[in-house]
Amino acid sequence: MGSILRFRKLCFLEPVKCSDLSEKKAPIKFDDEKKSFEIPKIENKDKGLLEEKKRKKRPNKEWRCIDSCCWVIGYICTIWWLLLFLFHCLPANLPGLKVPEPPGTRLQREGLTALHPVVIVPGIVTGGLELWEGRPCSEGLFRRRLWGGSFTEIFRRPMCWLEHLSLDNETGLDPPGIRVRAVPGLVAADYFAPGYFVWAILIENLARIGYEGKNMYMAAYDWRLSFQNTEVRDQTLSRLKSKIELMYVTNGNKKVVVVPHSMGVIYFLHFLKWVEAPPPMGGGGDPGWCAKHIKAIMNIGPAFLGVPKAVGNILSAESKDVAFIRAMAPGLLDSEILGLQTLQHVMRVSRTWDSVISLIPKGGETIWGNLDWSPEEHHVCDSAKKKYQQAFDNNGNNSDSRTRFQIQEPTKYGRIISFGKLVSDLPSSQLPTLDSKKQEFMRNHSTSNSNAACRGVWTEYDEMSRENIRRIAENKAYTMKSLLDLLRVIAPKMMKRAEAHFSHGIAENLDDPKYNHYKYWSNPLETKLPDAPDMEIYCLYGVGIPTERSYVYKQSPSVRCNSIPFQIDSSADGSDNSCLKGGVYFVDGDESVPVLSAGYMCAKGWRGKTRFNPSGISTYTREYKHKAPANFLEGRGSESGAHVDIMGNVALIEDVLRVAAGASGSELGRDRIYSDIMKMSKKINIRL
């Protein structure tokens, strides 16, 4: 370092200006004896004046935005580590610092012990993925985690990392020369990243009442693949069947309790049909396999009927958080100057994941509503609830309060996508209709590559003309009926490939032989539950958190190559009573899955003997009201209802432990409902 500084001093040239000081400069003499020039020294007085003048002329260092950001991050990290240090140094018995007793310890003291083997099924994104074979750029990453770890490779070699997480756009399987596989064992999804738990808290509490590797299993799978392709490529479903049979035999013929989460819920629903279906499409189990081996299925944060977030992901690689970042820092995520184009890369990779299609809302307009109606149309957001409650307390008159604070027009949630805030509120009679030309365009879309000069195809939008993009925005509002046609236009390759594996309708006749195909098995509205009357099904999910339901979009101003032509209109906001914030309409849910998707099947679709539940399997709806952490040191909270944080919810953990130890739904107290799921279910007119 010192040599570098000396080199810089030698190379630094400073222009010399004439000084107005009357300085006496001694001449430079040549010394014959030393054979060198003798340079006279500057007097101390003159030297001090010169240095002072140099300091005055030295320009002040410009304070850049990046400097401010670094200082802010530094301050935050310092304060965090200081608080953490104080937290561990202070006595644990101080008020507010005492760590609550884990539910597993308390229940173990009450006499609960491990009884039924437990199988955990993780959801999308939360499971780890590791590299088994890769391109030359992945040197040194063999069996290292590409997903679900430290994520350091994102910064070291981002393009290589994205390439290895992508699947083949034609087959939905591995690209040539690349093999990425699910991490096996309980470590597959205990933590998503260092310090960010997923299943770790539940696993720890199960261990406190006696569970270990012999009676607890993580059914890890590659969540990027379609459900049937996990069997085709990795035989994941066969290994899950064998593991359940082994745990059943080695644990005294005790039935298994299955605990799936999020997308893992519909993955296991697919397994229930696969395991009893005849080969080669199915697992070849007996018709009574599920009744023999499974005691209960405790679905956490279930996405039975899909999530609207999946629509935003396919349309523009956005959610409310991404739209907020775009509003705060326009152009940052897809900046051409910086060369980031983050959203384009996200879209390019995620459109190769068939599992994303499994999360598109199911049931069409019957479940999710049309242009004028939706099951949640009278939902009142938090701010309005508070005002209503205050008015009710002050006036003591329910009718007066309702008159004063009632929402005049029901929110039209059935319009999943609206181009413009005005369109999201207009009566359907004032909306532009789909004429024959537009319908023909939506049904029979032929690509018109207007961006032939673009280098490489980042997204399928590059294959569309600007005229076709303009027509999409002109249609103004899309319900779930027309949205599928829209997705087939903007993502034709993805939809063609994925729709061979998934379906999103409602079956008219479940005895039709076509429903024996695996594409229907993960849709609870197009398949029957197994003949297992003693089995129990639980829907366990959080409520009380604003959850994305529908979106207000606009055309992106960018017309350059590789751009995404649509984006959430983050400037679209409603009134104080409105559920529209930053271009997103919110309803009740767990932040990711609306109550309608999480609770409808247990509340109505499977309740009692229905055509979807012919054997009358008992279903229970258990909701957990969200409560934010009381202070900074509580972390993510022990009463959270958020989609992932609920895995640390004490009440949920206790319910899972009690069922695993032998309790039934009636012993838990049957249903526990805080939301309007029962009212919403009654509004849905579906033949049961």
Side-chain angles (χ1 to χ4, degrees), residues 445-459:
H445 169 68
S446 59
T447 60
S448 176
N449 193 348
S450 63
N451 296 324
C454 290
R455 294 184 178 179
V457 177
W458 289 85
T459 69

Side-chain angles (χ1 to χ4, degrees), residues 308 368 374-376 413-414 416 547-550 584-587 594 596:
W368 297 92
S374 65
E376 310 104 321
Y413 290 113
I416 300 289
T547 304
E548 297 171 49
R549 175 62 165 82
S550 55
V584 181
Y585 280 99
F586 294 94
V587 292
L596 179 64

Side-chain angles (χ1 to χ4, degrees), residues 273 506-516 520 523-529 610-614 687-688:
K273 197 72 176 179
I506 302 176
E508 289 296 326
N509 178 17
L510 286 169
D511 294 324
D512 190 324
K514 77 173 186 178
Y515 292 109
N516 293 329
Y520 302 102
N523 183 355
L525 301 174
E526 292 183 308
T527 190
K528 297 178 183 178
L529 289 176
T610 69
R611 65 191 184 105
F612 305 113
N613 180 17
R687 183 172 64 86
L688 298 176

Side-chain angles (χ1 to χ4, degrees), residues 209-279:
I209 64 170
Y211 282 92
E212 52 185 293
K214 66 182 180 182
N215 54 6
M216 181 166 50
Y217 173 69
M218 176 81 73
Y221 60 99
D222 190 337
W223 45 262
R224 301 172 301 161
L225 302 175
S226 71
F227 301 158
Q228 191 69 10
N229 273 346
T230 63
E231 173 65 16
V232 171
R233 195 193 73 178
D234 302 331
Q235 294 76 53
T236 307
L237 299 175
S238 294
R239 288 189 284 112
L240 176 56
K241 175 177 178 284
S242 299
K243 189 65 178 181
I244 290 176
E245 292 172 343
L246 178 64
M247 294 174 74
Y248 172 80
V249 172
T250 57
N251 286 276
N253 292 342
K254 294 291 189 299
K255 295 182 181 180
V256 172
V257 172
V258 185
V259 190
H261 173 245
S262 188
M263 191 187 77
V265 167
I266 53 178
Y267 179 76
F268 193 76
L269 186 64
H270 179 99
F271 171 83
L272 291 178
K273 197 72 176 179
W274 173 89
V275 73
E276 293 186 352

Side-chain angles (χ1 to χ4, degrees), residues 297-310:
I297 307 172
M298 308 196 72
N299 303 291
I300 302 176
F304 280 123
L305 301 180
V307 291
K309 268 187 174 183

